[in-house]
């Protein structure tokens, strides 16, 4: 490395910002609305492929960060193509007259389901008039009376014959309601019991035999003849009723059959309806004495002729696009409801309710993956439906065999749907790794970008997108300065001056709030001032913790120095994330070095407060020290690193440059200027690597320096490759332009230590030796001293107690026995 001092960035060195004068419009009202989705070419191509692919399993998973406009994009695309598709069929459930627990499924052309439902309701209404009228006709009454008269005639003839038989045997028949009596006669007088007892035995037996014969005849009449005649009369009545009902129903059923003659399944159903109406015509007659039975038997009511229209496509244009906000098991796959009746739960085919898959059948269903996975059995139910390609409605209790209530088994509906899941990347990768069915059913990922490549053309497209959002939400127009400010903040959202954020929710919120502040100020057009007001108020609403941290630093409760020079102490920078707000905070990093066995102690790691990435950074730092200074002899030092006053743990490797700098300061005994802060990761070669949150880190240190008073010497060292990420607040850039604050882009640790100490790092000669007046030279000399001390301790003293002395030193494992701070 050369020893040239790195110069601070000048205004022209900062990334190109978006300026108002690059636009040729005054307000967004002059711009043409944007119809296409910008910046998502890869995702849109995947969506087009997934939607067009008709094979099984080519459902889509749209992945990207929340708020990136995934739903808006996919919904807009599907709505655009949905109108070009064919409207799917209507689906109905009707009563299965053979087995009411297994409702029958009907498929009808679009719009005819509602027509059928109305026709069946009208049929029931018409028959409620027509059937009672037919049974109230004179002809029916006359034919009924004839049947009754013939029955009565048979009964009277039978009893007349019985009386004649009794008369021939001198026995009189007495007939009372429900009772017959046989009294013997002598000379036309009734034979009393006393007289009967006086008759001789032969006469008594003759009379008893005659009476027994008559009783047998009576039994024949009562138990055989009369039931047979009544059965015959009942059959004749039934036939009569069927004929009358058929005459009343036939005209209506013929009209319906003609209307649905093109649907063979409908003709079969109408035939079953006609047969059932004829068999149960009594339920259409309010004076038939059957209302009590109807009340206690829900199956024997007129709802049996209802049509449960599951999917009505009468008003549908093209194929359906359905978004289910609450994808529970029943909301997805449908449910069978129950009604309470006489203390029991009852159900029938009219209580079958459709789910989102029914509504989207033949089209597209959009679901949020996280919500879906949070609902019990919903994910498994969806997979089963997609695998079987049919919708089978059953309750969770029935599926898990934990319910004992009567339920239905509706005929399954064929399923043809394209499912689109929305979720973040981690969820997609986890499902792909842990659920083998996922890869079979969701073969098309559509990955949404977080940023759009910045160019003049894309800046203009972004302006049109802003105009589109403003128009759709009914906001005030934005002038060109406001559009430039929004684009500037969009770049800040992705921490990249060469990218524009595609996080549509954040942009939309910014536009809404800017419009609000413009209205509050009485303006009719939103300007740059309003956008800045949004950024300021959004920050003020969530920066309580930042203010408290900065207050603690300014009150020196948290010790951060911004002036002076200290050996083994440097200002590192970290980022704290609080919800959707992040801010930078300076942290004091210190190092101590002493004679030892080459061990580098990370105090955070030793206290179980260090994360794995930070530990990795410390190991890389240790490797760099060994590679640069341990080529001729092992490092004979023990060093300790600490983030002072840190109680919440440390992770990340962005402090690697700071930690190495503070170690070199301690070893060389050269102080570090406290007016600087440094951030940056490094590799084993000492090269500075890109880190995140560079703007927040710089602003965090600037705020402390600004509160204490800017001296013109304060500044922050950042990796050179982070310059493209610089999108600082206006007060920071103003201070930099005024020469009151500085940003130094560094590419190597040698540049960093030169800036921090004011002493060149030094370049090794051919033998690996560094100039003695450089940082590397001083470090090398210090390490050589440690090595000599280590060797002298290893030899021990050659006196008479030398052997014992060697054993004592050896028992210490080679550690320095004296004061560890002794050079």
């Amino acid at each position: 490395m050369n020893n040239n001092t790195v110069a601070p960035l000048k205004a022209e060195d900062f990334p190109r910002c978006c300026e108002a004068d690059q636009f040729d419009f005054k307000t967004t009202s002059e711009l043409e609305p944007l119809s296409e989705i910008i910046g998502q070419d890869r995702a849109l191509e995947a969506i087009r492929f997934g939607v067009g692919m008709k094979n099984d399993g080519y459902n889509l998973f749209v992945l990207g960060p929340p708020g990136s406009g995934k739903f808006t994009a996919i919904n807009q695309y599907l709505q655009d193509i949905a109108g070009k598709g064919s409207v799917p069929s209507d689906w109905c459930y009707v009563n299965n007259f053979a087995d009411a627990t297994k409702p029958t499924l009907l498929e009808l052309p679009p719009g005819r389901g509602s027509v059928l439902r109305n026709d069946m309701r009208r049929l029931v209404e018409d028959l409620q008039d027509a059937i009672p009228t037919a049974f109230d006709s004179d002809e029916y009454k006359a034919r009924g009376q004839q049947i009754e008269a013939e029955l009565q005639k048979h009964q009277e003839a039978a009893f007349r014959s019985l009386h004649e038989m009794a008369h021939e045997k001198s026995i009189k028949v007495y007939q009372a309601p429900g009772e017959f009596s046989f009294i013997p006669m002598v000379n036309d007088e009734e034979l009393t019991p006393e007289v009967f007892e006086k008759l001789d035995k032969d006469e008594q037996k003759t009379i008893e035999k005659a009476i027994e014969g008559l009783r047998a005849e009576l039994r024949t009449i009562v138990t055989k003849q009369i039931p047979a005649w009544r059965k015959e009369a009942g059959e004749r009545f039934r036939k009569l009723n069927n004929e009358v009902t058929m005459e009343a129903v036939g005209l209506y059923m013929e009209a319906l059959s003609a209307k649905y003659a093109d649907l063979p399944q409908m003709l079969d159903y109408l035939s079953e309806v006609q047969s059932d109406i004829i068999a149960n015509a009594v339920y259409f007659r309010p004076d038939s004495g059957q209302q009590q039975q109807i009340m206690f038997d829900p199956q024997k009511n007129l709802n049996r002729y209802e049509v449960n229209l599951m999917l009505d496509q009468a008003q549908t244009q093209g194929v359906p696009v359905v978004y289910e906000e609450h994808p529970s098991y029943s909301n997805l796959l449908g449910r069978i409801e129950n009604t309470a009746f006489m203390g029991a739960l009852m159900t029938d085919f009219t209580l079958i309710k459709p789910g989102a898959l029914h509504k989207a059948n033949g089209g597209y269903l959009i679901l949020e993956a996280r919500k879906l996975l949070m609902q019990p059995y919903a994910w498994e139910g969806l997979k089963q439906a997609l695998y079987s390609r049919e919708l089978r409605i059953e309750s969770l209790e029935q599926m898990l065999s934990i319910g004992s209530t009567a339920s239905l088994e509706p005929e399954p509906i064929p399923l043809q749907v394209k499912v689109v899941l929305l979720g973040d990347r981690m969820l997609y990768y986890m499902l792909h790794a842990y659920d083998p069915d996922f890869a079979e059913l969701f073969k098309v990922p559509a990955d949404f970008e977080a940023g759009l490549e910045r160019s003049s053309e894309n800046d203009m497209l972004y302006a049109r997108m802003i105009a589109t959002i403003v128009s759709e939400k009914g906001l005030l127009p934005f002038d060109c300065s406001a559009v430039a400010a929004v684009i500037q903040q969009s770049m800040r959202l992705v921490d990249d001056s060469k990218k524009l954020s595609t996080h549509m929710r954040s942009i939309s919120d910014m536009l809404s709030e800017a419009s609000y502040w413009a209205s509050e100020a009485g303006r009719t057009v939103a300007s740059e001032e309003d956008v800045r007001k949004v950024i300021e108020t959004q920050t003020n609403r969530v920066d309580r913790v930042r203010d408290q941290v900065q207050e603690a630093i300014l009150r020196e409760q948290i010790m951060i120095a911004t002036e002076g020079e200290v050996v083994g102490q440097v200002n590192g920078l970290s980022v704290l994330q609080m919800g959707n707000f992040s801010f930078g905070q300076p942290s004091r990093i210190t190092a101590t070095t002493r004679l030892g066995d080459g061990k580098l102690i990370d105090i955070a790691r030793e206290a179980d407060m260090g994360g794995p990435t930070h530990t990795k950074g410390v190991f890389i730092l240790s490797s760099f020290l060994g590679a640069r200074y341990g080529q001729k002899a092992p490092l004979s030092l023990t060093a300790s690193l600490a983030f002072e006053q840190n109680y919440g743990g440390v992770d990340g490797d962005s402090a690697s440059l700071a930690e190495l700098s503070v170690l070199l300061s301690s070893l060389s005994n050269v102080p570090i200027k406290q007016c600087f802060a440094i951030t940056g990761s490094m590799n084993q070669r000492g090269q500075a690597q890109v880190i995140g949150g560079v703007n927040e880190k710089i602003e965090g240190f600037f705020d402390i320096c600004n509160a204490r008073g800017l001296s013109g010497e304060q500044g922050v060292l950042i990796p050179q490759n982070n310059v493209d990420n610089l999108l600082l607040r206006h007060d920071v850039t103003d201070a930099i332009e005024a020469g009151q604050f500085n940003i130094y882009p560094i590419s190597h640790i040698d540049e960093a230590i030169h800036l921090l100490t004011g002493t060149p790092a030094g370049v090794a000669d051919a033998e690996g030796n560094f100039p003695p007046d450089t940082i590397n030279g001083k470090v090398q000399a210090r390490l050589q001293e440690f090595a000599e001390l280590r060797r002298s301790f290893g030899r021990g003293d050659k006196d008479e107690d030398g052997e014992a002395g060697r054993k004592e030193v050896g028992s210490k494992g080679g550690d320095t026995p004296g004061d560890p701070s002794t050079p």
Side-chain angles (χ1 to χ4, degrees), residues 401-511:
S401 301
I402 59 175
S404 58
T405 57
S407 189
L408 305 177
E409 296 179 21
E411 189 177 344
I413 298 177
L415 177 64
Q416 185 178 359
V417 68
K418 186 76 70 173
V419 178
V420 179
L421 293 183
L422 309 177
D424 57 40
R425 293 185 176 90
M426 182 57 68
L427 194 55
Y428 172 80
Y429 298 138
M430 290 181 67
L431 284 170
H432 210 285
Y434 294 109
D435 190 340
D437 297 328
F438 179 75
E440 289 290 328
L441 295 174
F442 292 89
K443 297 180 179 180
V444 183
D447 198 348
F448 269 60
E449 300 282 357
L452 166 67
E453 196 71 31
R454 187 160 177 253
S455 65
S456 298
E457 294 77 11
N458 284 344
D459 281 357
M460 192 61 199
L461 282 176
Y462 212 83
R464 290 177 58 195
M465 183 197 72
I466 292 172
T468 303
I469 297 175
V470 167
S471 175
E472 290 177 350
K473 301 188 74 170
L475 306 178
L476 293 179
F478 280 56
D479 65 18
C480 57
S481 69
V483 171
V486 171
I487 292 178
Q488 186 79 9
Q489 184 63 13
S490 170
M491 296 155 58
R492 173 67 183 255
L493 290 175
V494 290
D495 278 334
D496 194 339
S497 62
K498 296 184 178 180
K499 296 281 186 181
L500 297 172
S501 173
T502 57
H503 195 269
M504 293 299 103
R505 185 172 62 197
S506 298
I507 301 302
S508 179
D509 291 346
M510 188 188 310
L511 297 176

Side-chain angles (χ1 to χ4, degrees), residues 451-716:
L452 166 67
E453 196 71 31
R454 187 160 177 253
S455 65
S456 298
E457 294 77 11
N458 284 344
D459 281 357
M460 192 61 199
L461 282 176
Y462 212 83
R464 290 177 58 195
M465 183 197 72
I466 292 172
T468 303
I469 297 175
V470 167
S471 175
E472 290 177 350
K473 301 188 74 170
L475 306 178
L476 293 179
F478 280 56
D479 65 18
C480 57
S481 69
V483 171
V486 171
I487 292 178
Q488 186 79 9
Q489 184 63 13
S490 170
M491 296 155 58
R492 173 67 183 255
L493 290 175
V494 290
D495 278 334
D496 194 339
S497 62
K498 296 184 178 180
K499 296 281 186 181
L500 297 172
S501 173
T502 57
H503 195 269
M504 293 299 103
R505 185 172 62 197
S506 298
I507 301 302
S508 179
D509 291 346
M510 188 188 310
L511 297 176
S512 298
E513 294 180 32
S515 176
Y516 168 80
W517 290 119
S519 298
E520 287 290 298
R523 290 189 287 271
T524 58
V525 177
S527 65
E528 179 183 4
E529 178 184 350
D530 300 309
V531 177
R532 290 193 180 187
K533 179 75 170 178
V534 171
I535 299 170
E536 177 185 348
T537 54
Q538 285 182 344
T539 301
N540 289 339
R541 289 196 292 266
V542 293
D543 68 346
R544 176 184 60 84
V545 175
R546 183 187 68 173
D547 289 347
Q548 290 179 347
V549 170
Q550 292 181 356
E551 179 185 0
I553 293 174
L554 296 175
R555 294 174 63 184
E556 297 187 356
Q557 294 172 341
I558 299 176
M559 292 186 290
I560 299 293
T562 55
E563 60 183 7
E565 298 179 350
V566 181
V567 173
Q569 177 179 301
V570 73
N571 293 319
L573 296 171
S574 58
V575 174
L576 276 69
Q577 184 78 31
M578 308 293 291
N580 62 347
F581 175 66
S582 59
F583 62 92
Q585 172 189 347
S587 300
R588 173 173 290 181
I589 303 174
T590 61
T592 60
T593 54
R594 54 201 180 274
L595 181 63
D597 57 357
K599 183 176 182 181
L600 179 58
I601 299 174
D602 176 9
I603 292 179
R605 179 172 178 266
E606 296 296 325
D608 290 331
M609 296 176 64
T613 308
H614 179 257
T615 300
K616 174 191 173 186
V618 174
F619 284 150
I620 291 175
L621 183 156
S622 177
S623 175
F624 173 84
L625 287 175
R628 172 167 285 191
Y629 306 111
Q631 295 293 334
K632 297 181 179 180
L635 298 181
S636 299
L637 85 158
T638 295
S640 299
L641 287 170
F643 276 73
E644 305 293 354
Q645 293 184 283
N646 183 292
Y647 308 105
V650 179
D651 200 8
D653 63 351
S654 65
S656 300
L657 284 174
E659 290 170 325
L660 180 55
S661 298
V662 77
L663 273 174
L664 296 178
S665 169
S666 177
L667 284 169
S668 65
N669 202 31
V670 176
I672 289 178
K673 299 175 183 178
Q674 301 301 296
C675 61
F676 290 126
I678 180 173
T679 181
S681 170
M682 60 171 281
N683 58 27
Q684 293 187 94
R685 300 181 182 276
Q687 296 169 324
Q689 298 176 148
V690 172
I691 46 86
V694 65
N695 294 295
E696 290 83 358
K697 292 177 178 179
I698 294 173
E699 290 166 356
F701 188 66
F702 171 84
D703 289 337
I704 299 301
C705 295
N706 188 42
R708 290 176 172 173
L710 297 175
S711 65
E713 296 181 355
Q714 294 132 335
V716 177

Side-chain angles (χ1 to χ4, degrees), residues 5 149 178 206 228 294 413 442 558 692 705 727 753 761:
T5 303
T206 301
I294 294 174
I413 298 177
F442 292 89
I558 299 176
C705 295
L727 298 156
I753 198 66

